Amino acid sequence: LYGLHRSPSMEFKELTQKDAEVQMSIEIQKLLGTCISSSAKESATREMDGFERIFGRFVNAAGPSVHWSRIQKLDDDMVRDYREISSPSPSEVTKLLEKLVVVKLNGGLGTSMGCQGPKSVIPVRSELTFLDLTVQQIEHLNKTYSSSVPLVLMNSFNTDEDTQKVIRKYQGLNVKLYTFNQSRYPRVNKESLMPIGNSMGPNSDMEAWYPPGHGDFYEAFANSGLLKEFVDQGKEYVFISNIDNLGATVDLNILNFLTGEEAKTKTRCEFLMEVTNKTRADVKGGTLIRYGDKLRLLEIAQVPKDHLEDFKSVKTFKIFNTNNLWIKLDAMQRVLRDRTLDMEVIVNYKTLDNGLNIIQLEQAVGAAIKSFNGAHGINVPRSRFLPVKKTDDLLLVMSNLYSLTNGTLVMSQARMFATTPLVKLGPNHFAKVKDFLNRFASVPDMLELDHLTVSGDVTFGKGVSIRGTVIIIANHGDRIDIPPGAILENKIVSGNLRILDH
Protein backbone atom coordinates (compact mmCIF):
# COMPACT_ATOMS: atom_id res chain seq x y z
CA LEU A 1 0.00 0.00 0.00
CA TYR A 2 1.34 3.41 -1.01
CA GLY A 3 2.24 5.71 1.83
CA LEU A 4 2.14 2.97 4.50
CA HIS A 5 5.47 2.86 6.31
CA ARG A 6 6.38 -0.09 8.52
CA SER A 7 7.91 1.10 11.76
CA PRO A 8 11.12 -0.52 13.07
CA SER A 9 9.15 -1.75 16.12
CA MET A 10 6.62 -3.53 13.86
CA GLU A 11 9.42 -5.21 11.94
CA PHE A 12 11.17 -6.20 15.18
CA LYS A 13 7.95 -7.72 16.53
CA GLU A 14 7.34 -9.72 13.35
CA LEU A 15 10.91 -11.02 13.36
CA THR A 16 10.73 -12.09 17.01
CA GLN A 17 7.37 -13.81 16.37
CA LYS A 18 8.80 -15.71 13.41
CA ASP A 19 11.91 -16.56 15.41
CA ALA A 20 9.81 -17.85 18.32
CA GLU A 21 7.88 -20.17 15.98
CA VAL A 22 11.07 -21.48 14.34
CA GLN A 23 12.81 -22.04 17.68
CA MET A 24 9.72 -23.76 19.12
CA SER A 25 9.60 -26.09 16.12
CA ILE A 26 13.28 -27.01 16.68
CA GLU A 27 12.65 -27.68 20.39
CA ILE A 28 9.59 -29.82 19.61
CA GLN A 29 11.65 -31.96 17.23
CA LYS A 30 14.22 -32.47 20.01
CA LEU A 31 11.45 -33.54 22.40
CA LEU A 32 9.98 -35.95 19.84
CA GLY A 33 13.43 -37.51 19.54
CA THR A 34 13.18 -38.64 23.18
CA CYS A 35 10.08 -40.83 22.56
CA ILE A 36 10.77 -44.45 23.53
CA SER A 37 9.03 -46.11 20.56
CA SER A 38 7.84 -45.35 17.03
CA SER A 39 4.16 -45.64 18.10
CA ALA A 40 4.76 -43.22 20.99
CA LYS A 41 6.46 -40.82 18.58
CA GLU A 42 3.60 -41.08 16.07
CA SER A 43 1.02 -40.25 18.76
CA ALA A 44 3.16 -37.44 20.22
CA THR A 45 3.72 -35.95 16.75
CA ARG A 46 -0.05 -35.57 16.25
CA GLU A 47 -0.32 -33.85 19.64
CA MET A 48 2.64 -31.56 18.97
CA ASP A 49 1.17 -30.53 15.60
CA GLY A 50 -1.85 -29.29 17.53
CA PHE A 51 0.37 -27.51 20.05
CA GLU A 52 2.42 -25.78 17.34
CA ARG A 53 -0.79 -24.47 15.74
CA ILE A 54 -2.05 -23.00 19.02
CA PHE A 55 1.43 -21.60 19.79
CA GLY A 56 1.54 -19.95 16.34
CA ARG A 57 -1.83 -18.32 16.99
CA PHE A 58 -0.57 -17.12 20.38
CA VAL A 59 2.63 -15.45 19.13
CA ASN A 60 0.91 -13.94 16.09
CA ALA A 61 -2.11 -12.59 17.96
CA ALA A 62 -2.72 -8.99 16.96
CA GLY A 63 -5.25 -6.89 18.84
CA PRO A 64 -8.33 -8.02 20.76
CA SER A 65 -10.29 -11.08 19.64
CA VAL A 66 -13.54 -9.16 20.13
CA HIS A 67 -14.23 -5.51 19.28
CA TRP A 68 -16.93 -4.35 21.66
CA SER A 69 -18.59 -2.03 19.14
CA ARG A 70 -19.16 -4.94 16.74
CA ILE A 71 -21.22 -7.02 19.16
CA GLN A 72 -24.74 -7.35 17.74
CA LYS A 73 -28.05 -8.05 19.47
CA LEU A 74 -29.01 -11.73 19.42
CA ASP A 75 -31.78 -12.63 17.00
CA ASP A 76 -34.80 -14.21 18.70
CA ASP A 77 -34.36 -17.52 16.89
CA MET A 78 -30.64 -17.82 17.79
CA VAL A 79 -31.42 -18.86 21.38
CA ARG A 80 -34.48 -21.08 21.64
CA ASP A 81 -36.60 -21.41 24.76
CA TYR A 82 -36.53 -24.94 26.15
CA ARG A 83 -40.26 -24.71 26.94
CA GLU A 84 -41.03 -24.34 23.23
CA ILE A 85 -39.40 -27.55 22.03
CA SER A 86 -41.47 -30.70 21.80
CA SER A 87 -41.06 -34.12 23.39
CA PRO A 88 -40.55 -37.19 21.20
CA SER A 89 -43.31 -39.75 20.90
CA PRO A 90 -42.57 -42.80 23.11
CA SER A 91 -42.21 -45.02 20.03
CA GLU A 92 -39.42 -42.76 18.67
CA VAL A 93 -37.19 -42.56 21.77
CA THR A 94 -35.12 -45.71 21.18
CA LYS A 95 -34.46 -44.69 17.57
CA LEU A 96 -33.30 -41.23 18.71
CA LEU A 97 -31.02 -42.63 21.40
CA GLU A 98 -29.29 -44.88 18.86
CA LYS A 99 -27.94 -41.68 17.27
CA LEU A 100 -26.31 -40.42 20.49
CA VAL A 101 -22.88 -40.63 22.14
CA VAL A 102 -22.36 -39.19 25.66
CA VAL A 103 -18.95 -37.70 26.53
CA LYS A 104 -17.95 -36.57 30.02
CA LEU A 105 -14.96 -34.29 30.52
CA ASN A 106 -12.95 -36.15 33.15
CA GLY A 107 -9.54 -34.46 33.10
CA GLY A 108 -9.68 -32.66 36.45
CA LEU A 109 -8.12 -33.57 39.79
CA GLY A 110 -9.81 -33.15 43.15
CA THR A 111 -6.93 -31.13 44.62
CA SER A 112 -8.98 -27.94 45.05
CA MET A 113 -11.21 -29.89 47.46
CA GLY A 114 -8.26 -31.50 49.24
CA CYS A 115 -8.62 -34.89 47.52
CA GLN A 116 -6.13 -37.09 45.70
CA GLY A 117 -6.77 -38.47 42.21
CA PRO A 118 -9.55 -37.68 39.73
CA LYS A 119 -12.30 -35.36 40.92
CA SER A 120 -14.85 -37.79 39.45
CA VAL A 121 -14.19 -40.34 42.24
CA ILE A 122 -15.11 -37.98 45.10
CA PRO A 123 -18.29 -39.27 46.85
CA VAL A 124 -21.08 -36.73 46.42
CA ARG A 125 -24.25 -38.49 47.55
CA SER A 126 -24.98 -41.75 49.41
CA GLU A 127 -21.30 -42.72 49.00
CA LEU A 128 -21.75 -42.56 45.21
CA THR A 129 -19.16 -40.64 43.16
CA PHE A 130 -19.66 -38.37 40.12
CA LEU A 131 -18.64 -41.35 37.97
CA ASP A 132 -21.04 -43.75 39.72
CA LEU A 133 -23.95 -41.36 39.19
CA THR A 134 -23.07 -40.86 35.50
CA VAL A 135 -22.86 -44.61 34.84
CA GLN A 136 -26.17 -45.15 36.71
CA GLN A 137 -27.88 -42.54 34.53
CA ILE A 138 -26.73 -44.10 31.24
CA GLU A 139 -27.50 -47.64 32.40
CA HIS A 140 -31.03 -46.61 33.42
CA LEU A 141 -31.51 -44.95 30.02
CA ASN A 142 -30.33 -48.06 28.15
CA LYS A 143 -32.46 -50.41 30.26
CA THR A 144 -35.60 -48.27 30.04
CA TYR A 145 -35.49 -47.76 26.27
CA SER A 146 -33.58 -50.90 25.15
CA SER A 147 -30.93 -48.60 23.71
CA SER A 148 -27.14 -48.74 23.58
CA VAL A 149 -25.94 -45.21 24.34
CA PRO A 150 -22.15 -45.38 24.88
CA LEU A 151 -20.42 -43.41 27.64
CA VAL A 152 -17.04 -41.89 26.77
CA LEU A 153 -14.65 -40.36 29.31
CA MET A 154 -12.10 -37.79 28.17
CA ASN A 155 -9.30 -38.27 30.69
CA SER A 156 -6.04 -36.38 31.09
CA PHE A 157 -2.63 -37.87 31.83
CA ASN A 158 -3.35 -36.84 35.43
CA THR A 159 -6.57 -38.89 35.74
CA ASP A 160 -6.27 -41.76 33.25
CA GLU A 161 -4.46 -44.38 35.34
CA ASP A 162 -6.75 -44.01 38.38
CA THR A 163 -9.87 -43.88 36.20
CA GLN A 164 -8.91 -47.11 34.40
CA LYS A 165 -8.73 -48.89 37.78
CA VAL A 166 -12.13 -47.56 38.88
CA ILE A 167 -14.12 -48.35 35.72
CA ARG A 168 -13.41 -52.07 35.98
CA LYS A 169 -16.25 -52.31 38.49
CA TYR A 170 -18.79 -51.29 35.82
CA GLN A 171 -18.05 -54.24 33.50
CA GLY A 172 -21.27 -56.12 34.30
CA LEU A 173 -23.53 -53.13 33.61
CA ASN A 174 -25.54 -52.25 30.52
CA VAL A 175 -23.17 -49.44 29.52
CA LYS A 176 -20.42 -49.61 26.91
CA LEU A 177 -17.58 -47.51 28.29
CA TYR A 178 -14.83 -45.90 26.22
CA THR A 179 -11.95 -43.69 27.32
CA PHE A 180 -9.45 -41.51 25.51
CA ASN A 181 -6.86 -39.01 26.67
CA GLN A 182 -6.72 -35.34 25.90
CA SER A 183 -3.36 -34.12 24.65
CA ARG A 184 -0.26 -33.49 26.71
CA TYR A 185 1.18 -30.07 25.86
CA PRO A 186 4.52 -28.59 27.01
CA ARG A 187 4.49 -25.75 29.52
CA VAL A 188 6.30 -22.74 28.11
CA ASN A 189 8.81 -20.50 29.90
CA LYS A 190 7.24 -17.03 30.01
CA GLU A 191 10.51 -15.24 29.23
CA SER A 192 12.15 -17.48 26.63
CA LEU A 193 8.89 -18.83 25.11
CA MET A 194 10.52 -22.28 25.00
CA PRO A 195 9.31 -25.59 26.54
CA ILE A 196 10.55 -26.11 30.09
CA GLY A 197 10.82 -29.91 29.69
CA ASN A 198 13.56 -31.82 27.89
CA SER A 199 12.03 -35.30 27.52
CA MET A 200 8.76 -36.89 26.42
CA GLY A 201 9.61 -40.29 27.88
CA PRO A 202 7.60 -42.02 30.65
CA ASN A 203 10.01 -40.69 33.28
CA SER A 204 9.85 -37.09 32.10
CA ASP A 205 9.24 -34.30 34.57
CA MET A 206 5.41 -34.25 34.90
CA GLU A 207 5.48 -30.61 35.93
CA ALA A 208 6.74 -29.73 32.44
CA TRP A 209 3.44 -30.82 30.87
CA TYR A 210 -0.24 -29.93 31.17
CA PRO A 211 -3.61 -31.05 29.74
CA PRO A 212 -4.69 -28.11 27.53
CA GLY A 213 -8.28 -27.54 28.61
CA HIS A 214 -11.48 -28.98 27.16
CA GLY A 215 -11.06 -27.14 23.84
CA ASP A 216 -8.65 -29.95 23.00
CA PHE A 217 -11.65 -32.32 22.79
CA TYR A 218 -12.04 -32.11 19.01
CA GLU A 219 -8.45 -32.96 18.08
CA ALA A 220 -8.03 -35.56 20.83
CA PHE A 221 -11.35 -37.29 20.02
CA ALA A 222 -10.37 -37.52 16.35
CA ASN A 223 -6.79 -38.63 17.13
CA SER A 224 -8.14 -41.43 19.35
CA GLY A 225 -10.04 -42.94 16.41
CA LEU A 226 -13.35 -42.75 18.31
CA LEU A 227 -14.83 -39.97 16.15
CA LYS A 228 -14.52 -42.11 13.00
CA GLU A 229 -15.67 -45.23 14.85
CA PHE A 230 -18.90 -43.60 16.04
CA VAL A 231 -19.66 -42.02 12.63
CA ASP A 232 -19.14 -45.46 11.04
CA GLN A 233 -21.60 -46.89 13.59
CA GLY A 234 -24.25 -44.42 12.42
CA LYS A 235 -24.09 -42.17 15.49
CA GLU A 236 -25.05 -38.55 14.70
CA TYR A 237 -24.60 -36.37 17.80
CA VAL A 238 -22.32 -36.20 20.80
CA PHE A 239 -23.55 -34.70 24.08
CA ILE A 240 -20.57 -33.25 25.99
CA SER A 241 -20.60 -31.95 29.57
CA ASN A 242 -18.40 -31.60 32.64
CA ILE A 243 -18.50 -34.69 34.84
CA ASP A 244 -18.94 -32.48 37.93
CA ASN A 245 -22.17 -30.95 36.54
CA LEU A 246 -24.75 -33.20 38.17
CA GLY A 247 -27.56 -31.55 36.19
CA ALA A 248 -26.14 -32.54 32.80
CA THR A 249 -28.27 -35.61 32.05
CA VAL A 250 -29.37 -36.83 28.60
CA ASP A 251 -32.41 -34.74 27.65
CA LEU A 252 -34.82 -36.44 25.23
CA ASN A 253 -36.51 -33.17 24.23
CA ILE A 254 -33.21 -31.63 23.11
CA LEU A 255 -32.27 -34.84 21.29
CA ASN A 256 -35.66 -34.74 19.54
CA PHE A 257 -35.08 -31.08 18.57
CA LEU A 258 -31.78 -32.11 16.93
CA THR A 259 -32.67 -35.45 15.31
CA GLY A 260 -36.47 -35.93 15.41
CA GLU A 261 -39.04 -35.48 12.65
CA GLU A 262 -39.17 -31.69 13.11
CA ALA A 263 -35.37 -31.45 12.61
CA LYS A 264 -35.69 -32.91 9.10
CA THR A 265 -37.75 -29.92 7.92
CA LYS A 266 -35.16 -27.24 8.71
CA THR A 267 -31.43 -26.53 8.40
CA ARG A 268 -29.72 -29.10 10.58
CA CYS A 269 -28.26 -27.63 13.77
CA GLU A 270 -24.62 -28.74 13.95
CA PHE A 271 -23.84 -27.21 17.36
CA LEU A 272 -26.22 -26.60 20.25
CA MET A 273 -25.11 -24.85 23.45
CA GLU A 274 -27.26 -25.08 26.57
CA VAL A 275 -27.43 -21.71 28.30
CA THR A 276 -29.43 -20.67 31.34
CA ASN A 277 -30.43 -17.40 32.98
CA LYS A 278 -27.72 -15.57 34.91
CA THR A 279 -27.97 -14.88 38.61
CA ARG A 280 -25.57 -12.79 40.69
CA ALA A 281 -23.51 -15.94 41.22
CA ASP A 282 -22.92 -16.34 37.46
CA VAL A 283 -21.83 -12.87 36.35
CA LYS A 284 -18.39 -14.11 35.24
CA GLY A 285 -19.77 -16.97 33.10
CA GLY A 286 -19.27 -16.92 29.33
CA THR A 287 -22.26 -15.73 27.30
CA LEU A 288 -23.53 -16.00 23.73
CA ILE A 289 -23.31 -12.99 21.44
CA ARG A 290 -24.00 -12.29 17.77
CA TYR A 291 -20.77 -11.25 16.07
CA GLY A 292 -20.34 -10.99 12.33
CA ASP A 293 -23.86 -12.44 12.03
CA LYS A 294 -22.78 -15.69 13.72
CA LEU A 295 -23.26 -17.02 17.21
CA ARG A 296 -20.14 -16.67 19.31
CA LEU A 297 -19.10 -17.46 22.88
CA LEU A 298 -17.81 -14.41 24.75
CA GLU A 299 -15.65 -15.21 27.78
CA ILE A 300 -14.73 -12.70 30.48
CA ALA A 301 -11.03 -12.98 29.49
CA GLN A 302 -11.90 -11.46 26.07
CA VAL A 303 -13.70 -8.44 27.51
CA PRO A 304 -11.86 -5.08 27.47
CA LYS A 305 -11.30 -3.76 31.02
CA ASP A 306 -13.53 -0.73 30.46
CA HIS A 307 -16.47 -3.01 29.54
CA LEU A 308 -16.19 -5.53 32.39
CA GLU A 309 -19.17 -4.08 34.26
CA ASP A 310 -21.24 -4.22 31.05
CA PHE A 311 -20.32 -7.90 30.68
CA LYS A 312 -21.31 -8.68 34.27
CA SER A 313 -24.66 -6.90 33.92
CA VAL A 314 -27.50 -9.40 34.21
CA LYS A 315 -29.66 -6.94 32.26
CA THR A 316 -27.31 -6.72 29.27
CA PHE A 317 -26.20 -10.36 29.09
CA LYS A 318 -29.03 -12.42 30.54
CA ILE A 319 -27.68 -15.92 29.86
CA PHE A 320 -24.47 -17.90 30.39
CA ASN A 321 -22.92 -21.07 28.99
CA THR A 322 -23.49 -24.25 31.05
CA ASN A 323 -20.87 -26.14 28.99
CA ASN A 324 -23.53 -28.72 28.07
CA LEU A 325 -22.98 -29.04 24.30
CA TRP A 326 -24.57 -31.12 21.53
CA ILE A 327 -22.41 -31.41 18.40
CA LYS A 328 -23.00 -33.19 15.08
CA LEU A 329 -20.28 -35.79 14.58
CA ASP A 330 -19.88 -35.56 10.80
CA ALA A 331 -19.72 -31.76 11.06
CA MET A 332 -16.88 -32.19 13.56
CA GLN A 333 -15.08 -34.36 11.03
CA ARG A 334 -15.55 -31.67 8.38
CA VAL A 335 -14.19 -28.72 10.40
CA LEU A 336 -11.18 -30.78 11.47
CA ARG A 337 -10.49 -31.96 7.92
CA ASP A 338 -10.89 -28.47 6.43
CA ARG A 339 -8.92 -26.83 9.28
CA THR A 340 -11.81 -24.39 9.88
CA LEU A 341 -12.04 -25.08 13.61
CA ASP A 342 -11.58 -21.64 15.14
CA MET A 343 -11.21 -21.14 18.91
CA GLU A 344 -9.62 -18.26 20.79
CA VAL A 345 -6.39 -19.01 22.65
CA ILE A 346 -6.65 -18.63 26.42
CA VAL A 347 -3.28 -17.69 27.95
CA ASN A 348 -3.01 -19.05 31.47
CA TYR A 349 -0.08 -17.60 33.44
CA LYS A 350 1.20 -19.70 36.34
CA THR A 351 4.13 -19.76 38.73
CA LEU A 352 5.55 -23.19 39.57
CA ASP A 353 6.68 -24.19 43.06
CA ASN A 354 10.30 -23.50 42.05
CA GLY A 355 9.36 -19.88 41.21
CA LEU A 356 9.48 -20.31 37.42
CA ASN A 357 6.88 -18.25 35.54
CA ILE A 358 5.25 -20.31 32.82
CA ILE A 359 2.49 -20.07 30.23
CA GLN A 360 -0.19 -22.65 29.47
CA LEU A 361 -2.10 -22.21 26.20
CA GLU A 362 -5.66 -23.47 26.40
CA GLN A 363 -8.98 -23.32 24.52
CA ALA A 364 -12.64 -23.65 25.54
CA VAL A 365 -14.73 -26.36 23.86
CA GLY A 366 -17.74 -24.02 23.49
CA ALA A 367 -15.70 -21.40 21.62
CA ALA A 368 -15.93 -23.59 18.49
CA ILE A 369 -19.61 -22.71 18.07
CA LYS A 370 -18.77 -20.14 15.39
CA SER A 371 -17.14 -22.85 13.25
CA PHE A 372 -20.39 -24.80 12.77
CA ASN A 373 -23.47 -24.23 10.61
CA GLY A 374 -26.98 -23.66 11.97
CA ALA A 375 -25.64 -23.21 15.53
CA HIS A 376 -28.16 -22.45 18.27
CA GLY A 377 -28.34 -21.73 21.95
CA ILE A 378 -31.14 -23.22 24.00
CA ASN A 379 -32.23 -21.59 27.26
CA VAL A 380 -32.67 -24.53 29.63
CA PRO A 381 -34.00 -24.72 33.21
CA ARG A 382 -31.46 -23.96 35.92
CA SER A 383 -31.74 -27.58 37.08
CA ARG A 384 -29.50 -28.58 34.16
CA PHE A 385 -26.62 -26.61 35.69
CA LEU A 386 -25.63 -28.14 39.03
CA PRO A 387 -21.83 -28.05 39.17
CA VAL A 388 -19.88 -29.14 42.23
CA LYS A 389 -16.72 -27.01 42.23
CA LYS A 390 -16.33 -26.49 45.99
CA THR A 391 -17.64 -27.88 49.27
CA ASP A 392 -20.21 -25.04 49.17
CA ASP A 393 -21.82 -26.90 46.24
CA LEU A 394 -21.27 -30.29 47.87
CA LEU A 395 -23.36 -29.23 50.87
CA LEU A 396 -26.28 -28.42 48.56
CA VAL A 397 -26.25 -31.74 46.69
CA MET A 398 -25.88 -33.76 49.90
CA SER A 399 -28.87 -32.04 51.50
CA ASN A 400 -32.61 -32.70 51.50
CA LEU A 401 -32.97 -30.15 48.71
CA TYR A 402 -32.50 -33.12 46.37
CA SER A 403 -33.55 -36.73 46.09
CA LEU A 404 -31.58 -39.28 44.08
CA THR A 405 -33.33 -41.35 41.39
CA ASN A 406 -31.38 -43.64 39.04
CA GLY A 407 -28.26 -41.48 39.30
CA THR A 408 -30.14 -38.22 38.73
CA LEU A 409 -30.58 -35.53 41.39
CA VAL A 410 -34.11 -34.11 41.48
CA MET A 411 -35.04 -31.02 43.49
CA SER A 412 -37.51 -31.74 46.28
CA GLN A 413 -41.16 -30.89 45.61
CA ALA A 414 -41.22 -29.46 49.15
CA ARG A 415 -38.88 -26.64 48.09
CA MET A 416 -40.97 -23.51 47.44
CA PHE A 417 -38.43 -21.87 45.11
CA ALA A 418 -36.94 -23.23 41.87
CA THR A 419 -33.57 -21.61 42.66
CA THR A 420 -30.91 -23.16 44.86
CA PRO A 421 -29.76 -21.33 48.00
CA LEU A 422 -26.53 -19.34 47.97
CA VAL A 423 -23.97 -21.05 50.23
CA LYS A 424 -20.59 -19.59 51.23
CA LEU A 425 -18.36 -21.66 53.53
CA GLY A 426 -15.12 -20.25 54.94
CA PRO A 427 -12.13 -21.63 53.01
CA ASN A 428 -9.88 -22.09 56.04
CA HIS A 429 -12.14 -24.61 57.79
CA PHE A 430 -14.43 -26.02 55.08
CA ALA A 431 -12.51 -26.10 51.76
CA LYS A 432 -11.22 -29.68 52.07
CA VAL A 433 -13.80 -32.46 51.87
CA LYS A 434 -12.40 -34.28 54.92
CA ASP A 435 -12.55 -31.14 57.12
CA PHE A 436 -15.97 -30.24 55.73
CA LEU A 437 -17.46 -33.64 56.58
CA ASN A 438 -16.06 -33.52 60.13
CA ARG A 439 -17.98 -30.27 60.80
CA PHE A 440 -21.44 -31.72 60.17
CA ALA A 441 -22.86 -34.42 62.47
CA SER A 442 -25.57 -34.57 59.81
CA VAL A 443 -26.36 -32.36 56.81
CA PRO A 444 -28.79 -29.61 57.94
CA ASP A 445 -32.36 -29.33 56.70
CA MET A 446 -32.08 -26.66 53.97
CA LEU A 447 -35.49 -26.79 52.26
CA GLU A 448 -36.35 -23.22 53.29
CA LEU A 449 -32.84 -21.77 53.06
CA ASP A 450 -32.12 -18.70 50.92
CA HIS A 451 -28.57 -17.80 51.94
CA LEU A 452 -25.98 -19.35 54.25
CA THR A 453 -22.60 -17.82 55.13
CA VAL A 454 -20.30 -19.64 57.56
CA SER A 455 -16.87 -18.35 58.57
CA GLY A 456 -14.41 -19.59 61.17
CA ASP A 457 -14.35 -22.61 63.49
CA VAL A 458 -18.01 -23.70 63.32
CA THR A 459 -19.56 -27.17 63.78
CA PHE A 460 -23.16 -28.35 63.29
CA GLY A 461 -24.91 -30.88 65.52
CA LYS A 462 -27.44 -33.46 64.29
CA GLY A 463 -30.83 -32.41 63.02
CA VAL A 464 -30.10 -28.68 62.58
CA SER A 465 -32.55 -26.72 60.41
CA ILE A 466 -31.51 -23.50 58.64
CA ARG A 467 -34.08 -21.23 56.99
CA GLY A 468 -34.10 -17.84 55.26
CA THR A 469 -30.79 -16.00 55.59
CA VAL A 470 -28.36 -17.39 58.16
CA ILE A 471 -24.90 -15.95 58.86
CA ILE A 472 -22.56 -17.70 61.32
CA ILE A 473 -19.21 -16.05 62.06
CA ALA A 474 -16.76 -17.34 64.65
CA ASN A 475 -14.07 -14.79 65.43
CA HIS A 476 -10.44 -15.83 65.36
CA GLY A 477 -9.77 -18.01 68.43
CA ASP A 478 -13.49 -18.57 69.09
CA ARG A 479 -15.49 -21.68 68.28
CA ILE A 480 -19.21 -21.97 67.63
CA ASP A 481 -21.01 -25.30 68.01
CA ILE A 482 -24.56 -25.20 66.67
CA PRO A 483 -26.43 -27.52 69.05
CA PRO A 484 -28.32 -30.61 67.84
CA GLY A 485 -31.90 -29.88 66.75
CA ALA A 486 -31.33 -26.10 66.54
CA ILE A 487 -33.62 -24.13 64.21
CA LEU A 488 -31.95 -21.03 62.79
CA GLU A 489 -34.25 -18.78 60.78
CA ASN A 490 -33.02 -15.35 59.58
CA LYS A 491 -30.33 -15.32 62.27
CA ILE A 492 -26.84 -13.91 62.68
CA VAL A 493 -24.69 -16.00 65.01
CA SER A 494 -21.62 -14.11 66.12
CA GLY A 495 -18.32 -15.07 67.79
CA ASN A 496 -19.66 -15.34 71.33
CA LEU A 497 -22.70 -17.39 70.24
CA ARG A 498 -25.15 -14.49 70.50
CA ILE A 499 -28.07 -15.28 68.22
CA LEU A 500 -29.66 -12.20 66.64
CA ASP A 501 -32.62 -11.68 64.31
CA HIS A 502 -31.50 -10.99 60.76
Side-chain angles (χ1 to χ4, degrees), residues 118-364:
K119 186 178 182 182
S120 58
V121 299
I122 296 174
V124 287
R125 179 92 188 201
S126 307
E127 293 305 306
L128 296 171
T129 66
F130 292 101
L131 200 46
D132 292 335
L133 296 176
T134 302
V135 171
Q136 269 195 22
Q137 289 166 19
I138 304 297
E139 190 196 32
H140 176 67
L141 201 65
N142 286 339
K143 272 187 175 173
T144 304
Y145 298 106
S146 302
S147 57
S148 54
V149 176
L151 174 61
V152 184
L153 302 176
M154 182 170 91
N155 301 332
S156 67
F157 64 84
N158 289 321
T159 62
D160 186 57
E161 189 178 336
D162 288 333
T163 300
Q164 297 299 343
K165 290 174 188 170
V166 170
I167 61 177
R168 291 176 197 151
K169 69 180 180 182
Y170 306 126
Q171 283 175 353
L173 301 178
N174 186 15
V175 179
K176 188 148 190 196
L177 247 168
Y178 299 80
T179 65
F180 71 100
N181 272 17
Q182 64 187 112
S183 304
R184 190 174 77 142
Y185 280 1
R187 283 176 163 159
V188 173
N189 184 308
K190 186 185 170 192
E191 302 308 322
S192 67
L193 293 185
M194 290 295 110
I196 65 169
N198 51 27
S199 169
M200 294 192 86
N203 299 319
S204 60
D205 176 14
M206 294 301 277
E207 210 173 33
W209 304 89
Y210 71 100
H214 42 60
D216 181 54
F217 163 73
Y218 306 97
E219 296 272 359
F221 193 47
N223 287 344
S224 73
L226 287 175
L227 174 56
K228 182 180 185 304
E229 183 176 332
F230 288 130
V231 170
D232 290 348
Q233 286 177 19
K235 303 292 185 186
E236 289 186 24
Y237 278 88
V238 61
F239 171 47
I240 309 167
S241 60
N242 298 337
I243 200 159
D244 64 7
N245 180 5
L246 296 175
T249 57
V250 172
D251 187 283
L252 297 177
N253 294 4
I254 295 176
L255 187 58
N256 186 49
F257 172 77
L258 292 168
T259 66
E261 288 303 313
E262 187 191 336
K264 293 171 186 170
T265 63
K266 56 182 187 288
T267 305
R268 189 57 77 92
C269 172
E270 293 183 348
F271 194 112
L272 187 76
M273 177 182 288
E274 292 185 38
V275 296
T276 196
N277 291 338
K278 271 188 180 183
T279 67
R280 280 178 299 173
D282 316 305
V283 292
K284 294 183 179 179
T287 192
L288 280 178
I289 57 170
R290 186 167 155 236
Y291 196 88
D293 287 325
K294 293 196 93 172
L295 263 188
R296 186 159 170 177
L297 178 64
L298 177 66
E299 299 275 17
I300 194 165
Q302 297 165 260
V303 177
K305 283 196 175 75
D306 53 339
H307 286 286
L308 277 174
E309 290 312 307
D310 297 334
F311 177 80
K312 292 178 184 177
S313 165
V314 178
K315 288 181 181 175
T316 311
F317 298 105
K318 298 181 173 71
I319 54 173
F320 74 99
N321 170 28
T322 63
N323 219 38
N324 300 348
L325 308 170
W326 304 71
I327 307 171
K328 201 159 187 298
L329 289 164
D330 60 2
M332 201 188 302
Q333 280 186 316
R334 184 192 73 239
V335 298
L336 286 167
R337 182 189 65 235
D338 297 347
R339 292 281 173 92
T340 55
L341 188 64
D342 181 16
M343 294 178 287
E344 289 74 27
V345 178
I346 300 164
V347 185
N348 193 350
Y349 295 97
K350 287 181 176 282
T351 302
L352 301 184
D353 290 342
N354 62 7
L356 186 65
N357 293 320
I358 57 103
I359 292 170
Q360 292 182 183
L361 302 177
E362 301 171 9
Q363 293 172 311

Side-chain angles (χ1 to χ4, degrees), residues 39-176:
S39 62
K41 185 172 183 178
E42 189 181 329
S43 171
T45 300
R46 282 197 299 268
E47 290 185 359
M48 290 304 104
D49 284 348
F51 173 75
E52 286 197 67
R53 282 196 296 276
I54 193 173
F55 182 78
R57 290 191 63 193
F58 160 65
V59 295
N60 291 299
S65 58
V66 171
H67 294 275
W68 200 257
S69 60
R70 294 186 199 167
I71 294 175
Q72 302 160 292
K73 191 175 183 294
L74 285 170
D75 281 350
D76 290 340
D77 66 336
M78 284 182 157
V79 179
R80 297 289 297 269
D81 188 327
Y82 179 83
R83 293 168 297 186
E84 293 172 3
I85 64 173
S86 55
S87 303
S89 64
S91 61
E92 289 289 300
V93 173
T94 302
K95 196 164 77 175
L96 296 181
L97 287 171
E98 289 307 312
K99 300 173 182 177
L100 183 67
V101 176
V102 174
V103 172
K104 292 290 181 179
L105 302 172
N106 184 46
L109 293 167
T111 46
S112 64
M113 292 165 75
C115 297
Q116 300 294 315
K119 186 178 182 182
S120 58
V121 299
I122 296 174
V124 287
R125 179 92 188 201
S126 307
E127 293 305 306
L128 296 171
T129 66
F130 292 101
L131 200 46
D132 292 335
L133 296 176
T134 302
V135 171
Q136 269 195 22
Q137 289 166 19
I138 304 297
E139 190 196 32
H140 176 67
L141 201 65
N142 286 339
K143 272 187 175 173
T144 304
Y145 298 106
S146 302
S147 57
S148 54
V149 176
L151 174 61
V152 184
L153 302 176
M154 182 170 91
N155 301 332
S156 67
F157 64 84
N158 289 321
T159 62
D160 186 57
E161 189 178 336
D162 288 333
T163 300
Q164 297 299 343
K165 290 174 188 170
V166 170
I167 61 177
R168 291 176 197 151
K169 69 180 180 182
Y170 306 126
Q171 283 175 353
L173 301 178
N174 186 15
V175 179
K176 188 148 190 196

